[in-house]
Amino acid sequence: MKFVITLIASLLVVLTVNATEVRQFDNAQQQQLYHQLINELRCPKCQNQTIADSNAPLAKDLRDRTAEMVQAGQSRQQIIDYMVARYGDFVHYQPPLTLATSVLWWGPAVIVLIGLATIVVLVRRQRRIAADETPLSDAERQRLAQLKRTAEEHSDDR
Amino acid sequence: MSKLKLAILFVPLALFIGLAAFLLRGLFSDPTELNSALIGKPVPAFQLPNIYHPEQRFDQSLLKGKPVLLNVWATWCPTCRAEHEFLNQLADQGVNIIGLNYKDDSRAKAVDWLNTLGDPYQQTLFDEKGSVAIDFGVYGAPETFIIDAQGIVRYRHVGDVNARNWQQTLAPIYYGLEAQ
């Protein structure tokens, strides 16, 4: 039991210590901005890791560049724009809403709407068919009653 | 059954075929190949030394005047070794190639490589820290940019340049620019 707890505890430590470089910032805001940025910028070399997570040399270079820019007093948006200008939207984990990405944003909603519209059309059609059924005339009703009687008689025969 | 109803019956099939075609294409596309954000934009400004003579420095005007290939390479990169012979052949055919040595282990090692394997580059820039490479959006080596006479980036090729992709993709773009 003790072993398991130690194992889990050590895994947690490994998970939290990813960007290992110790960096000096002028203030806590800059420190916070740096950590926020390296956890939302994506490493171009690695398919699905942030630059904080990745050990690739390029990820380290980009962390260095991010730190330099934060230390120079650049804003969050300036640093993101800088990276996107070089590596494209791929480099940011919050891609902007463009024509190409609009399918991802609106696609699910459109599919739900199509489903709802189909249900509405089907239900309305059912109701219309039900409303269209005219009641039986007196002659028809008599004939129906007669047929039922005949059917009952025949079943008694058996 | 009316023609309209018949058409509506085929809608799910058409949607399915469309989706299948889209996903099938995804199977054959390489997710590690990123589009360059620099296409259609001028080359970034830089100041870099010549790999042989560090006191001699070049800026972005080196890439203007005529169409040129900018080849990013390093001695630690096995694929660069694989494409080197083909680059030598292209240089022999008169293709303009500028080298960008990207974060190499040492300048001496890179110079030694060029002396041993041949130098296909008209000039080779020495980007020791890889900072200019970041401005070009380089994320690995080798990469080859095609830059037009005005210094506008027209294409970026990721991976080795070989006879097949040169003839199919790169040469038409390069010679197309040269014909302008």
Side-chain angles (χ1 to χ4, degrees), chain A residues 9-153:
Chain A
S10 58
L11 279 176
L12 287 176
V13 171
V14 170
L15 287 176
T16 46
V17 181
N18 39 32
T20 46
E21 301 94 4
V22 178
R23 297 184 192 275
Q24 294 295 319
F25 292 96
D26 291 346
N27 51 53
Q29 280 91 8
Q30 285 193 354
Q31 179 86 33
Q32 201 193 348
L33 174 61
Y34 170 72
H35 281 285
Q36 192 190 0
L37 280 168
I38 63 172
N39 281 295
E40 69 180 69
L41 289 171
R42 183 182 188 180
C43 169
K45 185 71 195 167
C46 351
Q47 278 301 295
N48 228 336
Q49 278 183 304
T50 62
I51 58 173
D53 282 337
S54 172
N55 293 323
L58 178 63
K60 187 187 176 299
D61 289 351
L62 294 181
R63 287 196 298 272
D64 289 346
R65 186 62 62 97
T66 307
E68 281 165 27
M69 293 179 77
V70 169
Q71 281 153 353
Q74 304 240 38
S75 73
R76 179 189 136 81
Q77 197 54 50
Q78 277 174 315
I79 297 170
I80 290 172
D81 289 347
Y82 174 93
M83 294 296 176
V84 169
R86 282 154 184 76
Y87 291 99
D89 290 332
F90 183 92
V91 82
H92 194 207
Y93 266 116
Q94 294 169 15
L97 182 54
T98 63
L99 198 65
T101 58
S102 59
V103 175
L104 297 175
W105 288 90
W106 305 118
V110 169
I111 288 171
V112 168
L113 282 180
I114 290 175
L116 285 178
T118 310
I119 290 171
V120 168
V121 168
L122 287 180
V123 167
R124 283 210 177 148
R125 187 184 289 167
Q126 281 300 322
R127 281 202 190 141
R128 207 174 50 226
I129 290 170
D132 280 351
E133 280 174 3
T134 46
L136 298 177
S137 67
D138 284 348
E140 282 169 335
R141 213 167 291 155
Q142 276 174 14
R143 171 126 180 82
L144 180 65
Q146 200 183 346
L147 283 171
K148 275 185 181 165
R149 261 199 311 276
T150 323
E152 275 166 22
E153 280 163 18

Side-chain angles (χ1 to χ4, degrees), chain B residues 18-179:
Chain B
L19 189 68
F22 176 74
L23 294 177
L24 191 71
R25 227 191 61 180
L27 279 184
F28 296 101
S29 79
D30 183 356
T32 62
E33 239 175 71
L34 306 184
N35 294 328
S36 170
L38 267 74
I39 305 296
K41 301 205 174 102
V43 292
F46 63 83
Q47 277 279 339
L48 281 178
N50 179 331
I51 198 156
Y52 295 109
H53 313 288
E55 65 286 352
Q56 189 190 5
R57 297 180 76 82
F58 294 107
D59 65 12
Q60 63 277 12
S61 64
L62 176 70
L63 301 171
K64 285 178 193 162
K66 55 189 175 186
V68 66
L69 304 183
L70 180 71
N71 178 249
V72 181
W73 67 280
T75 58
W76 46 258
C77 149
T79 315
C80 302
R81 176 69 185 81
E83 74 172 356
H84 196 82
E85 189 44 44
F86 189 71
L87 294 180
N88 282 337
Q89 289 174 25
L90 289 183
D92 288 343
Q93 292 165 26
V95 175
N96 301 312
I97 314 174
I98 303 279
L100 178 67
N101 182 267
Y102 172 52
K103 290 183 75 175
D104 221 322
D105 305 334
S106 72
R107 200 172 66 80
K109 215 170 163 184
V111 169
D112 186 48
W113 158 299
L114 292 176
N115 287 336
T116 317
L117 300 174
D119 183 355
Y121 308 112
Q122 309 212 329
Q123 298 290 350
T124 299
L125 305 162
F126 183 51
D127 189 9
E128 193 175 5
K129 300 256 188 281
S131 54
V132 172
I134 288 183
D135 288 341
F136 273 93
V138 169
Y139 65 99
E143 284 185 20
T144 304
F145 293 83
I146 304 182
I147 297 162
D148 73 10
Q150 283 74 47
I152 309 286
V153 177
R154 292 305 191 94
Y155 189 77
R156 191 254 304 262
H157 175 76
V158 175
D160 69 319
V161 178
N162 54 44
R164 197 162 48 91
N165 57 40
W166 171 253
Q167 271 149 26
Q168 277 179 2
T169 316
L170 297 164
I173 300 171
Y174 175 79
Y175 288 116
L177 292 173
E178 223 175 31

